[in-house]
Each structure stands twice: as C-alpha cells, then as structure tokens.
Amino acid sequence: MTSQMISGIAADRLSSDELAQNFADLHAPLKPHEVKVAADRCYFCHDAPCITACPTDIDIPLFIRQISTNTPEAAAKTIFDMNILGGMCARVCPTEELCEQACVRELAEGKPVEIGRLQRHATDTLMMQDVHPYSRAAPTGKVVAIVGGGPAGLSCAHRLAVLGTDVTIYDARPKAGGLNEYGIAAYKSTDEFAAKEVEWLLSVGGITIENNKALGKDINLDDLERDFDAVFLGVGLGGVNALDIGGSDKSGISDAVAFIETLRQASDLSTIPIGRNVVVIGGGMTAVDAAVQSKLLGSEQVTIVYRRGREAMSASRYEQDLAAKHGVKLMFNVQPKRLHGNGAVATLELEYTADEKGKLAVTGETLHIAADQVFTAIGQTLKTNSSLVLEGRKIAVNSVGRTSRDGVWAGGDCASSGDDLTVTAVAEGRDAAIDIHTTLMGGA
Amino acid sequence: MADLTTDFLGIKSPNPFWLASAPPTDKEYNVRRAFEAGWGGVVWKTLGAEGPPVVNVNGPRYGVIHGADRRVLGLNNIELITDRSLEVNLEEITRVKRDYPDRAMIVSIMVPCEEQAWKDILPKVEATGADGIELNFGCPHGMSERGMGAAVGQVPEYIEMVTRWCKQYYSKPVIVKLTPNITDVRLPAAAAQRGGADAVSLINTINSIISVNLDSMSPEPSIDGKGSHGGYCGPAVKPIAMSMVSEIARAPETAGMPISGIGGVTTWRDAAEYITLGCGNVQVCTAAMTYGFKVVQEMITGLSQWMDEKGHTTIQDFMGAAIPNTTDWKHLNLNYVAKAEINQADCISCGRCYAACEDTSHQAIAMSDDRTFTVIDAECVACNLCVEVCPVENCITMVEQEKGTVDLRTGKTVSADYANWTTHPNNPGSVAAE
C-alpha cells in the first residue's frame, strides 16, 4: 500500500504509474511541426551572441538553419563537430544562462529561440539512425591514457580517436559516463540516454574502457606516464564536503550526490526510501536535483535551505523556479545550527543569517523545521592526491588543459578552468585532445 | 462610418471585395455561403461551351510555397474551367442572382475563338440576369493548349476580335481578364479597349512550377509521376499584379479605363493599395481558399477603419490616388538624399543589418565589440536593405537629409532643387533643364 503519509524514511510512497509520470522527460522532444516553428524563429544573427555564449562554440544559427531546411543530420554534424556530447548537453545545459540567455529574441521578446530543444531534435535524429558520423584518421602510432570516463574524458577520447590516436580510458566506476551516468536528475536523462550516448561515442573505434580502475588505488600517474605518450585527467570531484554541526552523527543524514546516484542507478524507483519531511542543505544544482527528485518520489514536504540570499544561489533562477513549481520550498538566509532527534534526525534547527559588510553573520534568531531526512549538497572536492600544482582546490591548467607536469593534461570539474558544467568539460576535453595531438605530432 | 459601396460599370455592390472566378465560385452552394459571409460580388467560375464539360485530373491540383509556420505565400493550380454542365451552372446563377439582387454577379466565360461559339453562349448567360461577363483570356494551363485562355490573351488581335463579338451579342458590361504571361500588359489592355471592353481585370495566374519532387524527379503537383506547369497566385504575385495595374492606369491609351484588381489580395490593406492604383474593386481567391469565406469580414472592417482614419467617405475618394506618384525611374529626384538611422533603444543586436550591408552592399554599418551597430553616413547610399532585413519593424528608418547640409558620402551640399536623370550631366542623352 503506497502512502505519502508514512512517517520517517520509507520506500513505496507513490504508485509505479505516478513515479513513471513524475520521472518522465522534463522537456519532451519537439514534435515535427514544433521543430519547424521553433527553427523558423532564429534570425541567423551575424557573429551570433549564442555562439559566443556556448562554451563549446557550436555554430547555432547554422545548425538551426540546417534543421529548417530538413537536414537535421547535417545540423547534428555541425553540433558534434564542436561538442560530441551534444545530445546530453541538449538535455542538461543551463541554456537559460548560456545560449538562450544571449539569444537576441530574449532581449526582444523575453522568449529566446528554443536552442536546447532544437539541438536535441538534431542530435536525437542522427543518433537514432545508428550510424557514427565520424571516421578515424590514419593511425598516429601514439597511445594516450585518460583517467575518468565522464564528459571531459569522453570528449578528449573521441577527438583523439578521430585524429588517429588509440586511447585507454580508466574509470573508477562500473560504468563510464561520469556525472552523465551517476549525477544529474533522472528526468533530464531518461531512457538510459547516458549509457547509449557512451556506446554511440565509442563506436568511432580506438577507445578502450577499463572500468573499476581508480587513480591512486588501482592505477597511478607514474605508471601511466611510463606506459602512454600522454595522460589526460578528467577525474571530476570525487569528494563531498561534510556537514560540521552538532547532531550530524544521527541517522537520516546523507550526501545528495550519493542520493542522486542511487536514483539514477535504481531499476525500480519505488524501492528507494525517502523521508516524509526532507531538507536539502545547499544552493547549487545538486541541491535542486536532490530536492525535486525527493518530491517526485513522494515526500510530503521538501525544503531547500540556503545560507545566503536567492541571488547568490548557484542554481539558476530557472532551476529555482523548477523546484518551486514542483512544490519545493526554498528558504534563504538560514544556516543549519543543529540536528535534533533520538537516534534518527527529527528536526533541523536553523539560524537566520544576514549580510554584514559583505560577510555572512548569524542574527541569533532560530527556528526548527521537521526533518526526517537531510541531504547535504554543500560542495564537492578534488580527491586526487598527486604531485600536480593546484589552483585553489583544483588542478591548475592553462587554456588548453596543460598541467604543471609535462605530458599530463587535465579538464572538466577537476581542473581550474571554467564552470563545473557538462558543456565546459566537453570543451576542455576537446581542446586538450587537440593540444595533445599537436604536441605528440611534433607541433607546438 | 465610411461607405464601402462600389459602382463598377454601373454594377453596384455593398463593398469592393469580389470573389474571383475560381474554385470558390464554382457552384450555388459556395456562392450563397460567400454572400452570406459578406462578399460584395462574385465572378462565377468560368463556363465553357455547351456539350460534355471539361474533365479535371484526378490527382492533386494544387501546390504551395509556404512561409513561416506553413503560411501560404504562393498557390499554384492545374485545375481547368468548370467541369459541371453549362445548363446546371446557368440555372444556379439565375437562382442565386435572383436571391441576392444587391450583390454583383459576373459570369466568366471561355469558349473557342469562333464567333458562333460566343453567339451561342452569350444569350444564355444574358438570360440568367447576371450583371456582366468576364472573358477568361488568362488561364495559362490546360485550356491554353486548346487555343483558349492565355492563348487568346497573348494575341492582342484575338482579344479585340472576341471582345467585339461579346459587345455585339451581349448587352451588359464586358470585362476582359488579362494574362500576365506576356511582355507588355499595355498591349492586350489597349486591344480590349479597342474591342469595346468596359473594363479589364488583372492579373490571371502566372505560369509556374511550384516545386520539383527530388525523389520522383517530377514537378509538383505530380500526376502519376508527371507534372505540368500551373497558374501561380496568392500573396507572392501581388507586386507583379500591382505593377501591371499601374502600367495600364498610367498609359495614355488606357488611362481611365475601369480596372478590377486581382492578385494576392489577402487583407484590407492589399485592397486599399490596388484601389489607389486605379482599381474600382478587387477580386480575391487565395485568401478565401486559405482561410474560408469569413476572411472578408476583416477586409471590410479594416478598410472601413482606415478610410475613417484618413477621412475618406467613399471608395472614390482615394481611387487612383497613387497614380500621379507612380512614375518612370528617370523622373525620380536625384537631389533627394536620405541616410539610414538605427534606433539604438529598439536594436536587439542581431547584426543582420551589418551582415547585409557589409557582405552585399556598401559597408556603411559599423559594428563595435559590444555589438552596437551604427550607420556610417559617409558610406550610406540609403539603399534600404538594412531597413528590410532588420527583424524589428521601424528600428532602422530612412531619414531625409536636410537641404543645404552636406552629404558626407558625396561631399556635396544637398540641393533643394528637383533634378532627375533626364538632365543629369552623366546622361549622354540629357536635355537642358526645363
């Protein structure tokens, strides 16, 4: 018997039909006529602002024009030339802060061209045809090791493979794909898309994946440097920041990243236990993904608590509104003070904060909210302990991904350049691949 | 409230919107519904001679050029004249005219170029009580292969001859419908006038192949793998039709001859434009075939509102008002200087003006790093391309340069005098200023 009213943490809150409906595609694919209308709205701007806003510099006006002339396959090629994970990026990119924010129709009417959904139409069309659009150049005789099979590593691997270099990807997990496979809300990557995309990408040939091989445990950088002509690190941020307040030893507290991963890997969503009153601590995309999915699993009350104001939240306004639309309550300027409960957490004590001369200070005023499950989403950290120079808490790299160590490149969330976005990781992997190729072939 | 009634050749109608001779006017059922919807008149779909009627193809007859969101911009057809018997059509015309005495009822006719054929049909048409006839000298497909339609309209002598027969055997107004598939429309118009026509109507459809199927390699609409050219109409042909109308209105020989304007009339505004070029009314087909008969209601209210705003109380008030301003290129004032001006508040920074000007025109628009677009007066020839490619209406405008100021492009002071090519020093055939 399913019930949302069971106290504490329990599975089976919603029927399988409700769950299937809740976790369906967030943005359903455009229908053929919708594609025509959406594509027709593009003005084909000169030196288009949307291209500038895209971390992978996709020629957006060109691919939309190709769609509008009934050649979505050519459009997909335009996209994949710059972003081989254009299919996933079409689903997960915060387009409202990138290409669509820059769209001149956003300025003109507040309604940008639906670039993300058009990109999905093009990439889906080509990927569904089960042919890989790239062939490999003549073998270079070089071999490159890539650590981490997430967006950065896959992008780097594909580009190198196309250029004629053989690649081995070492990934710590049983499946490749990184956050595309283990992170990201389930309703953004339905129907096993992440796994299918990896399979499609690998069909170019020349890429071997070694799963369950973690850096520092199963493999080490010195050996890779010895055995390969170059190494690319795309290890992501493996660690999570811990909550350091009183009562955090109680049960019912876990990190949001692990929760999202459990959701993504679950074959039956109804088996996932979820609290009746869920609190998510944090202000980023992970917080929103965890909160919305808690609600979709059947939690009665879900609250995101964030210690600063709305504008400081790293989740976009669009994501905040998405959470609100699903019934998630967003609380700003409150920070966790103490967790209460007899063994298991029951309430979270919060303390109000205020901005004092640019510094966050507590006001002394507190409140208690019901919390039988608490997810922490307060940032991830680099876990790799190697001899590489860091910048902040990430691996220092230059504009093409070179680290402080000769022969070692890095990109994606673990590297110091750019935002922690899938699309940025793809760009960095691609650019590092080009630089690796140039270097190995005796260029610059 | 403006008075939309028209008196065209003595034929009165409550408004200037007539349905053209075409599928919408092929039968009583349609025409009654059109009149109920508010159409001022109809030209009944073309009747042929007595005997077995023509047959149409049994596959697709139409093809379309679509704009955004499948908006119909141009329509092509390979349908022939009515494929119903003459007797049935005549009976229906009689009944409908009797029931709608206040609406214009014109009968379109196409029979072979033999006097007897016209002599046979005209008394029968006259007996229906219809208000006049329109001679179909325009259909470019099918019937033209049999020496009728455009095959007649392309030979001024035939037009004159047949028109004369019609005036001889028919007592009411005779309108000659002209084909645009000729080199100079003034010649057939003058021939119609010599034959005694009371008016001309134009244009009929333009020879067209709307598209080619790249799989079957057949023009479309395709009939069992083969296509034939059709007749093109709809919004896309309006500029061609209006130019032809203006030529007839301006030619000394035909000036003042009543004209019924046809070609892409889709809104009240299109109709108003035709009327300013000298038309006494307009005929509509594609708009009705796209949206249904109800579309006339917008035409009526729109024209009425505009006339009220302009202070026109009758159609005559503005009929032909644009003719005096329609002239030859050589009479355009070369001392008129304008420059493009971009309203920065309205600009959305798409850069289309820049791409168009930089790549294909006069390199007269500058683009800054922050995507601000400005006109370089020293290069701008006022070509208007930027105005037309800008997606924001009225963001870029052409501003007349004040007399007495210096045109930065030519370095010359803008003269207040009128001067055209006929007196320009670069013109080898220039004549002294009058």
Side-chain angles (χ1 to χ4, degrees):
Chain A
M1 186 62 191
T2 61
S3 171
Q4 281 192 271
M5 301 306 167
I6 302 166
S7 294
I9 301 174
D12 232 4
R13 288 189 182 275
L14 297 177
S15 71
S16 52
D17 281 354
E18 285 170 304
L19 287 170
Q21 201 179 340
N22 284 354
F23 285 87
D25 226 327
L26 179 63
H27 301 293
L30 291 170
K31 297 184 179 79
H33 183 67
E34 292 175 316
V35 168
K36 281 271 182 196
V37 175
D40 193 76
R41 293 186 69 239
C42 175
Y43 285 142
F44 204 74
C45 294
H46 171 76
D47 190 12
C50 53
I51 305 177
T52 312
C54 174
T56 52
D57 301 297
I58 293 171
D59 192 337
I60 294 162
L62 177 61
F63 93 65
I64 294 179
R65 190 172 167 82
Q66 289 166 322
I67 289 174
S68 73
T69 58
N70 292 320
T71 52
E73 295 85 356
K77 192 76 176 7
T78 298
I79 295 161
F80 291 137
D81 281 349
M82 300 307 283
N83 181 338
I84 196 64
L85 297 179
M88 182 59 87
C89 288
R91 290 161 166 78
V92 304
C93 256
T95 52
E96 67 279 0
E97 293 190 326
L98 299 171
C99 52
E100 291 179 16
Q101 185 182 61
C103 177
V104 299
R105 295 198 84 140
E106 170 63 26
L107 179 66
E109 306 151 50
K111 286 193 190 114
V113 174
E114 291 187 274
I115 298 168
R117 297 180 82 191
L118 286 166
Q119 177 166 323
R120 175 163 174 186
H121 169 75
T123 53
D124 280 3
T125 302
L126 184 64
M127 289 172 79
M128 270 188 283
Q129 291 172 0
D130 246 4
V131 283
H132 192 85
Y134 297 92
S135 53
R136 301 187 64 198
T140 60
K142 306 289 183 184
V143 286
V144 172
I146 290 178
V147 186
L154 290 169
S155 167
C156 184
H158 186 270
R159 184 59 62 120
L160 284 168
V162 167
L163 291 169
T165 291
D166 287 339
V167 177
T168 302
I169 295 177
Y170 295 96
D171 195 278
R173 300 191 179 247
K175 289 192 219 172
L179 288 177
N180 288 358
E181 176 62 39
Y182 292 97
I184 298 167
Y187 48 76
K188 290 179 185 170
S189 170
T190 56
D191 195 26
E192 301 288 331
F193 181 78
K196 287 178 186 168
E197 187 178 43
V198 170
E199 193 184 334
W200 172 84
L201 180 146
L202 295 181
S203 66
V204 69
I207 305 171
T208 310
I209 296 202
E210 300 270 347
N211 286 114
N212 301 309
K213 292 282 192 314
L215 186 65
K217 203 171 106 200
D218 310 299
I219 51 170
N220 67 69
L221 197 52
D222 291 337
D223 289 349
L224 294 176
E225 279 198 283
R226 186 192 63 222
D227 297 341
F228 291 88
D229 296 298
V231 179
F232 175 83
L233 300 174
V235 295
L237 299 172
V240 290
N241 293 329
L243 187 65
D244 189 20
I245 58 168
S248 45
D249 55 335
K250 296 189 189 304
S251 71
I253 300 155
S254 57
D255 79 81
V257 173
F259 168 61
I260 292 168
E261 178 178 333
T262 305
L263 257 165
R264 283 296 302 278
Q265 299 304 313
S267 53
D268 179 1
L269 290 170
S270 68
T271 62
I272 299 174
I274 193 74
R276 179 172 175 179
N277 298 300
V278 171
V279 177
V280 182
I281 301 168
M285 291 288 296
T286 303
V288 171
D289 283 355
V292 172
Q293 295 191 105
S294 298
K295 195 77 192 168
L296 297 177
L297 281 175
S299 293
E300 189 189 359
Q301 305 282 347
V302 178
T303 312
I304 290 177
V305 299
Y306 179 54
R307 63 195 179 125
R308 297 178 190 277
R310 180 193 282 283
E311 59 293 338
M313 208 167 173
S314 67
S316 68
R317 182 61 196 247
Y318 172 85
E319 289 288 339
Q320 294 172 32
D321 290 348
L322 181 75
K325 201 174 84 183
H326 281 93
V328 172
K329 181 179 177 184
L330 291 104
M331 291 183 73
F332 301 102
N333 286 108
V334 282
Q335 75 175 33
K337 186 176 166 71
R338 191 171 182 84
L339 291 149
H340 301 276
N342 183 14
V345 62
T347 58
L348 170 62
E349 183 180 357
L350 294 163
E351 191 165 20
Y352 282 94
T353 67
D355 183 65
E356 277 181 16
K357 293 171 191 158
K359 284 191 100 178
L360 196 69
V362 290
T363 64
E365 194 182 343
T366 62
L367 83 157
H368 292 253
I369 59 171
D372 38 35
Q373 188 165 27
V374 174
F375 292 120
T376 57
I378 51 179
Q380 288 151 266
T381 51
L382 183 64
K383 238 169 71 177
T384 304
N385 180 16
S386 61
S387 54
L388 299 164
V389 172
L390 301 185
E391 185 180 320
R393 294 194 295 184
K394 294 185 168 192
I395 301 168
V397 291
N398 72 359
S399 64
V400 288
R402 292 188 191 202
T403 68
S404 56
R405 213 161 141 168
D406 265 355
V408 180
W409 281 256
D413 290 358
C414 71
S416 63
S417 50
D419 300 321
D420 290 352
L421 295 173
T422 305
V423 64
T424 307
V426 173
E428 289 170 5
R430 174 198 72 193
D431 293 346
I434 294 166
D435 192 54
I436 290 168
H437 180 75
T438 309
T439 305
L440 297 188
M441 301 314 285
Chain B
M1 184 71 178
D3 177 7
L4 297 189
T5 58
T6 55
D7 181 339
F8 189 73
L9 318 176
I11 304 163
K12 304 229 173 22
S13 60
N15 61 56
F17 305 109
W18 290 8
L19 282 171
S21 168
T25 61
D26 192 28
K27 54 182 181 287
E28 180 175 357
Y29 176 82
N30 291 16
V31 175
R32 282 185 186 275
R33 293 182 69 248
F35 283 157
E36 291 302 321
W39 291 89
V42 303
V43 183
W44 200 277
K45 185 166 166 88
T46 308
L47 308 183
E50 197 162 12
V54 303
V55 293
N56 272 299
V57 293
N58 298 297
R61 301 172 190 187
Y62 304 118
V64 155
I65 294 287
H66 288 112
D69 209 1
R70 282 181 74 78
R71 183 177 287 253
V72 173
L73 299 183
L75 173 70
N76 157 285
N77 87 87
I78 56 168
E79 182 171 300
L80 303 184
I81 63 173
T82 184
D83 53 12
R84 305 181 324 137
S85 83
L86 178 63
E87 293 68 28
V88 168
N89 276 305
L90 293 172
E91 284 165 22
E92 291 184 0
I93 291 167
T94 308
R95 276 201 299 271
V96 178
K97 179 59 199 176
R98 187 191 63 214
D99 292 349
Y100 293 90
D102 66 323
R103 310 300 172 96
M105 172 70 80
I106 308 297
V107 178
S108 174
I109 306 173
M110 181 196 289
V111 292
C113 263
E114 296 153 10
E115 188 170 0
Q116 190 59 45
W118 293 90
K119 208 172 164 178
D120 289 343
I121 196 170
L122 288 167
K124 292 176 178 158
V125 172
E126 180 118 30
T128 63
D131 301 299
I133 56 172
E134 184 182 80
L135 313 187
N136 183 342
F137 293 160
C139 268
H141 50 274
M143 303 309 291
S144 56
E145 296 168 14
R146 307 173 200 177
M148 289 182 272
V152 179
Q154 286 161 343
V155 183
E157 292 77 9
Y158 291 172
I159 294 174
E160 184 179 342
M161 176 178 74
V162 177
T163 306
R164 191 162 283 129
W165 293 336
C166 290
K167 287 305 288 181
Q168 191 179 342
Y169 301 117
Y170 183 72
S171 70
K172 290 181 178 173
V174 175
I175 305 166
V176 174
K177 186 167 181 177
L178 302 178
T179 175
N181 300 308
I182 38 84
T183 48
D184 186 345
V185 80
R186 291 172 296 189
L187 301 179
Q193 192 175 46
R194 284 195 301 277
D198 297 281
V200 288
S201 56
L202 68 157
I203 59 174
N204 205 311
T205 55
I206 302 171
N207 283 351
S208 60
I209 286 181
I210 202 84
S211 57
V212 174
N213 184 313
L214 292 178
D215 295 321
S216 66
M217 291 297 169
S218 164
E220 290 176 320
S222 179
I223 303 294
D224 195 22
K226 306 275 185 209
S228 172
H229 82 262
Y232 194 46
C233 57
V237 311
K238 180 189 149 200
I240 298 165
M242 292 213 300
S243 174
M244 290 187 166
V245 163
S246 77
E247 287 179 31
I248 293 170
R250 289 174 58 218
E253 197 178 356
T254 51
M257 189 180 192
I259 304 171
S260 182
I262 311 169
V265 173
T266 311
T267 68
W268 68 266
R269 191 188 173 89
D270 300 324
E273 291 179 16
Y274 270 99
I275 293 168
T276 66
L277 289 170
C279 294
N281 65 14
V282 293
Q283 296 183 30
V284 177
C285 174
T286 305
M289 291 185 71
T290 308
Y291 304 108
F293 291 142
K294 185 183 169 182
V295 73
V296 73
Q297 292 170 13
E298 165 270 314
M299 297 180 187
I300 290 168
T301 58
L303 185 63
S304 180
Q305 179 180 324
W306 173 77
M307 286 171 64
D308 287 346
E309 284 165 6
K310 293 289 178 185
H312 301 310
T313 52
T314 70
I315 299 288
Q316 279 67 35
D317 286 3
F318 64 99
M319 190 189 297
I323 298 172
N325 296 327
T326 310
T327 184
D328 293 341
W329 191 95
K330 66 184 178 217
H331 294 131
L332 299 176
N333 184 4
L334 296 175
N335 281 343
Y336 173 86
V337 179
K339 299 286 177 194
E341 196 172 283
I342 301 172
N343 180 346
Q344 297 298 337
D346 288 345
C347 177
I348 59 171
S349 295
C350 68
R352 278 169 56 158
C353 59
Y354 176 83
C357 191
E358 189 70 13
D359 289 359
T360 71
S361 295
H362 300 86
Q363 297 77 48
I365 292 178
M367 175 180 173
S368 72
D369 287 344
D370 70 346
R371 299 185 70 81
T372 301
F373 297 89
T374 44
V375 176
I376 304 165
D377 282 352
E379 302 295 341
C380 180
V381 303
C383 74
N384 214 40
L385 184 63
C386 56
V387 170
E388 300 298 352
V389 301
C390 177
V392 181
E393 199 173 0
N394 294 325
C395 173
I396 310 181
T397 48
M398 280 296 153
V399 180
E400 181 180 359
Q401 194 164 337
E402 267 184 58
K403 311 295 181 196
T405 59
V406 174
D407 177 352
L408 293 175
R409 185 176 69 87
T410 59
K412 291 180 183 159
T413 302
V414 178
S415 168
D417 298 334
Y418 164 80
N420 64 40
W421 176 245
T422 63
T423 55
H424 197 278
N426 288 15
N427 179 359
S430 73
V431 293
E434 290 164 18

